[in-house]
Amino acid sequence: MLVLILFVLLFARAAYLGTIRAGWLSAKADNQHLIRVNEPAERGAMMSTDGQFLAMDTPTTQIIADGRYVKNALRTTDRLISVLGGSPARREKLLSDLSAHKAYIVVAPNASLHDTRILKSMKIDGVVYRRNSKRTYPLGPVAGQVLGFTNLETRAGIEGLEARLNDHLTGRDGGFTEVQDMRLGQTVRILNERKSVAGQSVELTVQAEIQKQVEDVLVKTRKKYKAKSAMAVIMDPNDGRIIAMASVPRMNANDRSTLDVNASQVRAITDPYEPGSVFKVVTVAGAIEEGLTTPSTMYSVPAKLPLEFEGRIRYVTDAHKRSSTEDMTTTEILQRSSNVGTILISQSLRKRDKLRYWMDRFGFGQRTGIDLNNESEGDLPKTPWDDGQRVNIPFGQGMSATMIQQVRAYAAIANGGMLVSPHVVAKINGRASAVASPKRIMSVRTAAQLTGIMRTVVESTTGTGGLAQIANYEVAGKTGTSQKVVNLRYSDKHFQASFIGFVPAKNPKLVIAVMIDDPSPNGGPHTAAEVAAPAFQEIGDFALGVLGIAP
């Protein structure tokens, strides 16, 4: 009877395990011997127009240990750490996990292939190797803000072009199921294999060699003048291709430990600022196009101009002080960067209610549509303007604009009157990116007259842009030194120094803009003529040589 009862119990247990618990037991067996592996797709690479890799996926290995099958935790820990490296704290944590026989320990998420080969040769029990990849930026900080970076875990883009083009760059993950002998740490066979599909490659308009030089010049200039920051853009005025776009401090996405979120933005499109006198060309362009002035029109320009501000008479003067009234042509007003003269020119536009119209026509107060995220539209105040705005805005104070807006405005002068669409993406998977068609905003004649005026700013002995001259090339450009607002008032100690110009002046191939933020805050050189113009000259000279642009 006892034996019979035991057989009945054994039969009941077998029936229970074979029916009711069958699914659970099968799943448990699968979990012990079948490992489902996701095979991440290679993210699309980004390359410069001169064929250099700017962002790419580098093959790595994910190293996983199963403490249940590690025979000697101390020896295994020492072997892994001797190859992979790590702090004492990391070593202690790994030793603790292995000693506790944890089943899934990520020893290294992205080990190099070199380290992987060494560890595999050691034939360590309980250690499994899986293919992985890591996003890297071969040129380090070069074009860092434009490229952006990805999330280390999800690998999705979260800044710059990595975010903007994430759908194109992201491929389709593959995967497979491994049948493993965990005691030996070996894969017996592969089931249900699904190939991954790589993301699309992207070619940028950026020229890597020029981009690096621009950044080097900005770093050097910022350090020399102890400036808060600096930025620059080079664009082809004829089609809007961005050849270089940089700001310092820089960002290196390869080193996340030093990543500064504030340095990750493309400041040329996200940070509007008061442009100062570089904006005067827009006021003059509108007046010429409306037939209200010519390059040779003469103005009697007082040393100080009495104007009514909020019911009180106040005086506007030039940054370059004068003691008496002088006769100046429109050309000389821009050449010498006269605030008073620019106000006189703007008054004729204001009488026709055309002053803001021409600023809007040049694209200020609106986004350029550049193919990067977080572009600002700047601030061009709506009319009617108050007394202070009517005086300040014509010479670039009391309003704000991004550098890319200013570059596009100068490009319209350089190319004969067409407003182009700035862009940094040339091709996606070999197909040219769509770019909006240029729009005419002024006549060829007006653009030519402005170019002639701007050449005198650089070439004339009385012009403010003499240090922007490039040997053997004709340069057209304009300086701008704007006062920064500190404690709600314009400061006489803190400035933003800009120079924007194009070269060669007769057949422009490059528009170059440079802005140095708060140079020499404790006194010393701070004007655009002293600080920004030399940086323009150095950048321009290098870019012309690399691109082989003839004088």
Side-chain angles (χ1 to χ4, degrees), residues 283-517:
T283 301
V284 173
I288 292 176
E289 187 74 357
E290 292 287 337
L292 300 173
T293 192
T294 69
S296 58
T297 300
M298 189 69 69
Y299 294 85
S300 179
V301 183
K304 56 181 181 179
L305 183 66
L307 291 165
E308 186 175 328
F309 287 85
E310 300 174 349
R312 296 173 56 191
I313 298 298
R314 299 183 184 178
Y315 293 90
V316 178
T317 61
D318 287 344
H320 308 280
K321 301 299 182 183
R322 293 180 291 110
S323 59
S324 60
T325 298
E326 293 184 37
D327 290 336
M328 295 186 197
T329 63
T330 301
T331 295
E332 291 170 329
I333 286 172
L334 273 187
Q335 182 188 107
R336 297 169 61 180
S337 200
S338 170
N339 294 339
V340 175
T342 305
I343 293 171
L344 295 178
I345 294 173
S346 73
Q347 287 174 344
S348 60
L349 273 173
R350 187 158 56 85
K351 289 176 182 177
R352 289 194 182 182
D353 198 24
K354 289 286 189 177
L355 185 52
R356 192 185 187 283
Y357 166 82
W358 275 101
M359 296 172 182
D360 176 81
R361 193 164 174 80
F362 268 87
F364 293 97
Q366 54 194 279
R367 295 182 179 90
T368 66
I370 190 171
D371 45 2
L372 287 165
N373 290 339
N374 305 320
E375 182 183 9
S376 170
E377 61 187 19
D379 179 30
L380 180 60
K382 301 291 185 183
T383 51
W385 292 341
D386 61 30
D387 294 337
Q389 290 172 319
R390 285 195 294 271
V391 172
N392 289 335
I393 290 177
F395 57 81
Q397 300 261 194
M399 53 81 66
S400 66
T402 61
M403 176 169 278
I404 196 63
Q405 288 174 319
Q406 298 172 56
V407 168
R408 183 168 71 149
Y410 272 66
I413 299 170
N415 66 28
M418 306 296 289
L419 202 63
V420 298
S421 297
H423 58 283
V424 296
V425 179
K427 297 177 182 178
I428 298 178
N429 233 31
R431 295 187 300 272
S433 298
V435 179
S437 300
K439 179 179 71 174
R440 180 162 294 283
I441 62 169
M442 62 181 161
S443 66
V444 173
R445 182 172 182 271
T446 296
Q449 289 179 325
L450 284 167
T451 297
I453 293 173
M454 292 162 62
R455 282 182 58 187
T456 71
V457 172
V458 178
E459 296 172 0
S460 172
T461 56
T462 58
T464 58
L467 293 181
Q469 293 180 20
I470 300 174
N472 302 318
Y473 291 86
E474 295 174 340
V475 177
K478 183 71 186 74
T479 55
T481 307
S482 61
Q483 294 174 282
K484 296 184 68 172
V485 175
V486 179
N487 297 325
L488 302 179
R489 298 179 65 87
Y490 282 115
S491 171
D492 58 1
K493 295 182 180 179
H494 300 279
F495 306 89
Q496 286 166 317
S498 304
F499 188 92
I500 308 178
F502 46 87
V503 61
K506 287 185 178 178
N507 184 22
K509 301 296 184 183
L510 304 175
V511 175
I512 304 171
V514 177
M515 192 277 279
I516 313 300
D517 185 12

Side-chain angles (χ1 to χ4, degrees), residues 132-428:
N132 205 357
S133 62
K134 179 182 179 181
R135 196 64 165 173
T136 58
Y137 302 88
L139 299 185
V142 175
Q145 294 99 340
V146 173
L147 297 171
F149 53 89
T150 60
N151 185 296
L152 291 176
E153 295 182 4
T154 67
R155 303 178 74 243
I158 53 179
E159 285 289 356
L161 286 174
E162 293 279 25
R164 175 83 176 199
L165 302 178
N166 189 62
D167 290 345
H168 293 284
L169 294 168
T170 302
R172 188 173 69 246
D173 289 354
F176 53 88
T177 301
E178 289 183 354
V179 181
Q180 284 202 341
D181 183 332
M182 292 304 294
R183 290 187 182 277
L184 298 177
Q186 294 178 352
T187 299
V188 178
R189 64 181 182 274
I190 300 294
L191 303 175
N192 306 321
E193 187 171 9
R194 185 180 70 257
K195 295 291 185 181
S196 61
V197 178
Q200 298 176 328
S201 61
V202 175
E203 181 184 325
L204 305 185
T205 61
V206 172
Q207 216 275 7
E209 189 176 0
I210 295 175
Q211 175 77 28
K212 182 181 184 302
Q213 175 69 6
V214 169
E215 294 180 19
D216 289 345
V217 171
L218 291 180
V219 168
K220 180 177 65 176
T221 303
R222 177 185 178 228
K223 181 179 180 181
K224 179 178 181 179
Y225 297 107
K226 299 179 174 60
K228 179 180 178 182
S229 62
M231 68 175 91
V233 171
I234 304 179
M235 187 175 84
D236 186 327
N238 302 296
D239 57 17
R241 289 182 300 116
I242 300 297
I243 296 167
M245 179 180 283
S247 64
V248 294
R250 298 193 290 178
M251 178 198 77
N252 187 350
N254 289 329
D255 185 2
R256 298 299 177 93
S257 64
T258 61
L259 191 65
D260 181 359
V261 176
N262 294 323
S264 68
Q265 298 299 307
V266 186
R267 295 188 58 226
I269 71 166
T270 63
D271 292 15
Y273 56 94
E274 297 189 25
S277 295
V278 294
F279 191 74
K280 290 173 181 175
V281 297
V282 176
T283 301
V284 173
I288 292 176
E289 187 74 357
E290 292 287 337
L292 300 173
T293 192
T294 69
S296 58
T297 300
M298 189 69 69
Y299 294 85
S300 179
V301 183
K304 56 181 181 179
L305 183 66
L307 291 165
E308 186 175 328
F309 287 85
E310 300 174 349
R312 296 173 56 191
I313 298 298
R314 299 183 184 178
Y315 293 90
V316 178
T317 61
D318 287 344
H320 308 280
K321 301 299 182 183
R322 293 180 291 110
S323 59
S324 60
T325 298
E326 293 184 37
D327 290 336
M328 295 186 197
T329 63
T330 301
T331 295
E332 291 170 329
I333 286 172
L334 273 187
Q335 182 188 107
R336 297 169 61 180
S337 200
S338 170
N339 294 339
V340 175
T342 305
I343 293 171
L344 295 178
I345 294 173
S346 73
Q347 287 174 344
S348 60
L349 273 173
R350 187 158 56 85
K351 289 176 182 177
R352 289 194 182 182
D353 198 24
K354 289 286 189 177
L355 185 52
R356 192 185 187 283
Y357 166 82
W358 275 101
M359 296 172 182
D360 176 81
R361 193 164 174 80
F362 268 87
F364 293 97
Q366 54 194 279
R367 295 182 179 90
T368 66
I370 190 171
D371 45 2
L372 287 165
N373 290 339
N374 305 320
E375 182 183 9
S376 170
E377 61 187 19
D379 179 30
L380 180 60
K382 301 291 185 183
T383 51
W385 292 341
D386 61 30
D387 294 337
Q389 290 172 319
R390 285 195 294 271
V391 172
N392 289 335
I393 290 177
F395 57 81
Q397 300 261 194
M399 53 81 66
S400 66
T402 61
M403 176 169 278
I404 196 63
Q405 288 174 319
Q406 298 172 56
V407 168
R408 183 168 71 149
Y410 272 66
I413 299 170
N415 66 28
M418 306 296 289
L419 202 63
V420 298
S421 297
H423 58 283
V424 296
V425 179
K427 297 177 182 178
I428 298 178

Side-chain angles (χ1 to χ4, degrees), residues 74-88:
L74 179 60
R75 184 174 63 184
T76 299
T77 298
D78 287 341
R79 285 183 172 183
L80 291 170
I81 292 298
S82 68
V83 176
L84 299 172
S87 63

